[in-house]
Amino acid sequence: MQEYDVALKMLLRGSARFTMVELAGTAVEKWLDVELPKVQNARVDLLGEIAGGGLVHLELQSGNDITMPLRMAEYCLSVFRLFGKFPRQIMLYVGQGPLRMESEFRGPDVWFRYRAIDIRDLDGDRLLESEEVGDNVIAILARLRDHKDAVRRIVERVGGLVAIDRETALRTLLILAGLRGLEETVEEEARKVPILNDILDNKVLGREFKRGLQEGKLEGERKGELEGERKGERKGELTILRRLIEKRFGAIPSWAEERLAARTTAGLEELSVRVLDAQSIEELLK
């Protein structure tokens, strides 16, 4: 399991109570640790019970996955089998690139949907005002007016914690900072706080923090490379599809260009197959 996943779960199950209210619209009274029946990914990220006995399911995602609606539907039905009630479902996207996943699917007599939230749509400045350090740390992933000032405020808050909480919070902050390329900013600000500087220079703890820092950098670089590859693949698919459409139907109207631009790579591949059978551009893009 990726470190960011563990870090976020720890915060959301712990002191990031305001963040959960922002996401789910209500507080979680109790977290449930269960193995779901007959699901390929047998454990949901977070499943909690809210006031009145309702359930909320929160799934964390750092990359765009076209199978996400199917996965969420499988989770939903498995939770229903286990508890006899449907959960309120939220997919929280924390990746670097834009959120491009669908949050529903439709079929004959079937319609399933859930909430898909990009964590950058949360107001990070409101999270910084929370009295819970978990909310403060998560703010580094949310929408912020001034990232450097936000990091400074978070580090100052972490520096005021008791020793064991301080070490855990700083490590978690470094891990999440790697998702936004802010790990060096965090280390720079942490070194201005004497007690945190001592942690970073400690032979044992410092080595672990720096390992997390380096892993965050490598993860960010890897995500950037993958994102570049995906963009290149999509651009190539779009170029080929445009040529096929122009050859078959003539010049592409502006409304069709807009629809093509909104398609995912998988969607473009599907159109490339259908273009040979479609009788018009309207039929192809309906």
Side-chain angles (χ1 to χ4, degrees):
M1 185 179 293
Q2 296 180 9
E3 279 194 308
Y4 89 85
D5 198 33
V6 176
L8 274 172
K9 287 180 187 178
M10 180 185 69
L11 291 173
L12 292 167
R13 287 174 62 106
S15 62
R17 286 185 278 269
F18 179 71
T19 305
M20 278 304 307
V21 172
E22 288 287 283
L23 292 171
T26 185
V28 172
E29 300 287 328
K30 179 175 66 175
W31 292 107
L32 309 172
D33 293 307
V34 296
E35 292 288 340
L36 299 181
K38 298 181 181 178
V39 178
Q40 186 174 3
N41 298 315
R43 180 178 288 274
V44 297
D45 281 336
L46 291 168
L47 182 66
E49 187 175 76
I50 61 177
L55 300 176
V56 59
H57 164 215
L58 180 64
E59 199 68 19
L60 306 172
Q61 189 69 16
S62 66
N64 286 289
D65 181 356
I66 61 174
T67 69
M68 201 69 205
L70 180 59
R71 285 173 51 195
M72 293 295 282
E74 290 172 339
Y75 287 140
C76 180
L77 292 175
S78 294
V79 169
F80 183 80
R81 289 192 190 100
L82 199 58
F83 294 95
K85 61 183 75 173
F86 289 110
R88 177 183 303 173
Q89 288 188 291
I90 303 155
M91 187 276 292
L92 182 61
Y93 177 70
V94 299
Q96 291 180 326
L99 170 62
R100 298 193 303 272
M101 286 174 283
E102 298 291 337
S103 59
E104 65 176 31
F105 64 75
R106 294 174 182 262
D109 301 319
V110 174
W111 181 27
F112 170 79
R113 68 176 179 177
Y114 55 94
R115 291 186 66 198
I117 300 175
D118 189 325
I119 198 167
R120 280 166 293 206
D121 290 335
L122 296 184
D123 188 341
D125 295 301
R126 288 187 66 193
L127 297 181
L128 288 175
E129 297 300 325
S130 170
E131 295 182 357
E132 300 286 358
V133 73
D135 294 317
N136 305 153
V137 172
I138 286 178
I140 200 171
L141 299 177
R143 185 180 71 254
L144 293 165
R145 286 174 299 196
D146 186 332
H147 286 83
K148 187 173 179 60
D149 179 65
V151 168
R152 178 188 59 77
R153 292 172 63 184
I154 298 169
V155 167
E156 287 179 354
R157 182 72 190 278
V158 169
L161 299 174
V162 297
I164 187 169
D165 293 338
R166 186 167 56 235
E167 294 162 6
T168 301
L170 182 55
R171 176 169 176 77
T172 304
L173 179 59
L174 280 167
I175 291 170
L176 297 189
L179 289 172
R180 294 291 180 265
L182 293 171
E183 56 270 43
E184 291 182 352
T185 303
V186 171
E187 186 177 23
E188 178 185 338
E189 292 298 322
R191 289 199 175 279
K192 296 177 184 178
V193 181
I195 198 163
L196 297 181
N197 192 36
D198 290 344
I199 293 175
L200 291 172
D201 287 335
N202 182 281
K203 288 184 178 179
V204 177
L205 294 176
R207 182 178 66 243
E208 290 302 305
F209 281 125
K210 288 169 185 175
R211 182 176 67 84
L213 182 64
Q214 184 62 28
E215 288 176 354
K217 288 180 181 178
L218 292 175
E219 180 70 9
E221 290 171 1
R222 186 184 68 82
K223 288 179 184 296
E225 290 172 358
L226 290 175
E227 187 66 24
E229 290 175 4
R230 283 193 292 266
K231 286 181 179 179
E233 290 173 2
R234 186 182 180 283
K235 185 176 180 181
E237 290 283 350
L238 186 55
T239 299
I240 293 171
L241 181 57
R242 281 193 180 119
R243 289 175 181 171
L244 290 171
I245 292 174
E246 288 172 350
K247 186 173 181 63
R248 184 160 172 76
F249 304 117
I252 303 175
S254 57
W255 65 266
E257 285 283 7
E258 291 176 0
R259 292 193 186 181
L260 289 173
R263 289 273 182 161
T264 63
T265 302
L268 293 174
E269 291 174 355
E270 178 192 353
L271 290 178
S272 296
V273 175
R274 288 173 45 202
V275 70
L276 300 177
D277 298 319
Q279 299 303 309
S280 67
I281 194 170
E282 288 81 9
E283 180 184 339
L284 176 66
L285 297 176
K286 66 180 179 181

